[in-house]
Amino acid sequence: MTQKRSAGLLLFRRTGGPAPGIEVLLGHLGGPVWSARDAGGWGIPKGEYGPDESPRDAARREFTEEIGLPPPDGDYLPLGEVVLSSGKLVTIWAVEADLDPALMVPGTFSMEWPPHSGNVQEFPELDRVAWFTPQVAGTKLIKSQVAFVERLLGLVGG
């Protein structure tokens, strides 16, 4: 069996004021399973790719599919990989860019809902995106993705 792979982009922006630092852009997972969950219900925009696509190309494509906007230009900082308990390999890059969350046009997915009802409904992949400080992001993110924010802090401070 081939290992599943996923790749994504973690946008960050620098903040000024009395306590300069950074913020990261996260997406709240869409669909009824995640609708009432805040802590642990946010993620880095990412998705699966096959053997004929490079991880970086997949990360850029998935950003557009999930956010509905083109991926930002800029220096792509590799944040490495994490192997999930499922065995899936996740690869993330960080890129400095600003994005207005109100401009998001989410991609959608279909699933049977309610379960075993025979009704197939369409839901947004991400139902909203928002900027968070790294500290807050650590409480919002799916646990397996927190390491990417920590690695970003190691590269750019904040």
Side-chain angles (χ1 to χ4, degrees):
M1 184 164 88
T2 305
Q3 180 183 37
K4 288 189 176 184
R5 297 173 180 267
S6 188
L9 297 179
L10 177 60
L11 268 60
F12 71 97
R13 66 183 182 185
R14 297 180 192 274
T15 58
I22 65 167
E23 293 178 321
V24 295
L25 185 76
L26 304 179
H28 186 265
L29 303 173
V33 173
W34 298 96
S35 63
R37 190 167 178 187
D38 189 54
W42 293 76
I44 298 167
K46 65 173 187 53
E48 290 187 9
Y49 65 97
D52 296 335
E53 188 175 23
S54 76
R56 184 175 156 160
D57 288 346
R60 292 175 54 84
R61 175 184 51 75
E62 284 292 335
F63 183 87
T64 298
E65 287 180 13
E66 294 204 351
I67 304 288
L69 299 169
D73 292 325
D75 294 330
Y76 280 58
L77 306 172
L79 298 180
E81 303 170 336
V82 167
V83 177
L84 305 182
S85 58
S86 67
K88 181 188 283 187
L89 179 70
V90 178
T91 306
I92 300 293
W93 283 265
V95 61
E96 186 171 356
D98 203 353
L99 180 144
D100 180 352
L103 299 177
M104 181 184 94
V105 181
T108 60
F109 69 96
S110 298
M111 68 180 279
E112 182 181 15
W113 192 260
H116 313 295
S117 67
N119 295 325
V120 176
Q121 297 185 44
E122 200 165 278
F123 299 98
E125 292 203 34
L126 300 174
D127 57 25
R128 62 191 180 277
V129 294
W131 290 99
F132 297 104
T133 64
Q135 181 181 2
V136 173
T139 68
K140 302 269 186 193
L141 270 170
I142 297 166
K143 287 192 186 305
S144 62
Q145 295 181 16
V146 171
F148 294 116
V149 174
E150 293 169 349
R151 292 173 188 173
L152 174 62
L153 287 172
L155 290 176
V156 301

